[in-house]
Amino acid sequence: MRMILVGAPASGKGTQAKVLCERFSVPQIATGDMLRAAKAARTELGLKAASYMDAGKLVPDEVVIGLIEQRLQAADAAGGFVLDGFPRTVPQAEALRELLERLGQRLDAVVQLEVPREMLVERAVLRRTDKRTGQIYHLKYNPPPPDAELEHRVDDREETVVARLDTYEKMTAALLPYYEGKGLLLRIDGVGTPSEITERLLRVLRKG
Ligand code: AMP
């Protein structure tokens, strides 16, 4: 399984990517997670990315393309992957196409999770991650256990979420037609419980 999950911030992409990866025994490759790790480790790349991330803007294409080129050539990605948060621009999509061609691999599907904008702000603002396990919770809809060590992403503050949603809308305006034109795009309703959404995802993937 080689697929891309596309969805706005807090659309449930990360949660679903984790479930699909377990199901298909492939790694989840999330540029946002990779960039946050680089930022926390204060690497040169991480520090360069941080100013864009904190403002809710896209990190330059060459930075994320470089990360993905390395990551997709690691042994554990040879049998498949779920890309979460990459590509976000047409140049990134083109770079991915070229890389997969070089590796002799083919994309199976691009799935978009559709969630109305008004729901996304509430989801992001009340989202928390357990820093020990990476598990994602929602204070109202999916409360964490009492012993969780919770973190609130700095870019999940309301004003940054609004900027990230604007960025996402501009991005999909070009990216979705790109994949639609290639006959790879599948859309699913992203409103519901996590397990309902997983069911929908598996159903469209089976139909392909
Ligand atoms: P995410 O965890 O996917 O919401 O990503 C968090 C932040 O990392 C985004 O708001 C961007 O600043 C940056 N980022 C992640 N993936 C990409 C990408 N493919 N292209 C550009 N910036 C990215």
Side-chain angles (χ1 to χ4, degrees):
M1 172 57 65
R2 292 188 178 85
M3 65 172 288
I4 299 173
L5 262 183
V6 182
S11 60
K13 248 183 318 146
T15 301
Q16 296 301 326
K18 284 189 174 59
V19 177
L20 292 177
C21 287
E22 224 163 84
R23 181 84 172 219
F24 295 111
S25 303
V26 294
Q28 173 191 6
I29 300 185
T31 38
D33 288 346
M34 293 163 84
L35 291 167
R36 274 186 290 280
K39 184 179 154 191
R42 304 185 64 79
T43 64
E44 198 182 322
L45 185 149
L47 294 176
K48 184 172 172 198
S51 57
Y52 297 94
M53 296 168 75
D54 294 348
K57 293 196 180 131
L58 290 186
V59 170
D61 284 340
E62 66 274 15
V63 174
V64 282
I65 290 170
L67 281 177
I68 286 291
E69 284 196 333
Q70 273 191 354
R71 185 64 189 88
L72 288 191
Q73 293 183 66
D76 68 329
F81 49 77
V82 174
L83 280 176
D84 156 8
F86 182 95
R88 271 172 150 98
T89 64
V90 171
Q92 291 179 19
E94 273 293 308
L96 177 66
R97 189 187 58 75
E98 280 166 27
L99 175 64
L100 292 179
E101 209 170 273
R102 249 187 290 144
L103 298 174
Q105 298 177 358
R106 201 175 51 84
L107 264 186
D108 295 305
V110 179
V111 185
Q112 184 199 5
L113 290 179
E114 293 185 301
V115 180
R117 185 177 167 116
E118 28 330 330
M119 289 185 73
L120 295 167
V121 178
E122 192 201 32
R123 282 200 189 174
V125 170
L126 295 182
R127 169 160 70 178
R128 297 293 183 275
T129 309
D130 186 333
K131 58 179 173 205
R132 293 164 314 170
T133 60
Q135 187 63 46
I136 303 163
Y137 298 99
H138 186 280
L139 294 181
K140 195 157 127 194
Y141 303 124
N142 179 22
D147 63 338
E149 275 187 45
L150 297 181
E151 256 181 347
H152 188 210
R153 283 172 49 170
V154 279
D155 61 353
D156 273 347
R157 292 201 196 103
E158 187 159 352
E159 59 284 9
T160 315
V161 173
V162 170
R164 288 166 66 210
L165 287 172
D166 291 341
T167 306
Y168 174 77
E169 276 161 22
K170 273 189 227 131
M171 157 198 129
T172 46
L175 194 67
L176 296 181
Y178 173 90
Y179 283 121
E180 201 155 30
K182 294 189 178 302
L184 283 171
L185 186 67
L186 305 167
R187 289 195 166 89
I188 66 157
D189 176 6
V191 180
T193 64
S195 53
E196 281 165 355
I197 318 282
T198 304
E199 273 309 305
R200 282 177 213 154
L201 266 166
L202 293 173
R203 213 177 308 132
V204 295
L205 288 172
R206 273 196 293 270
K207 282 197 213 136

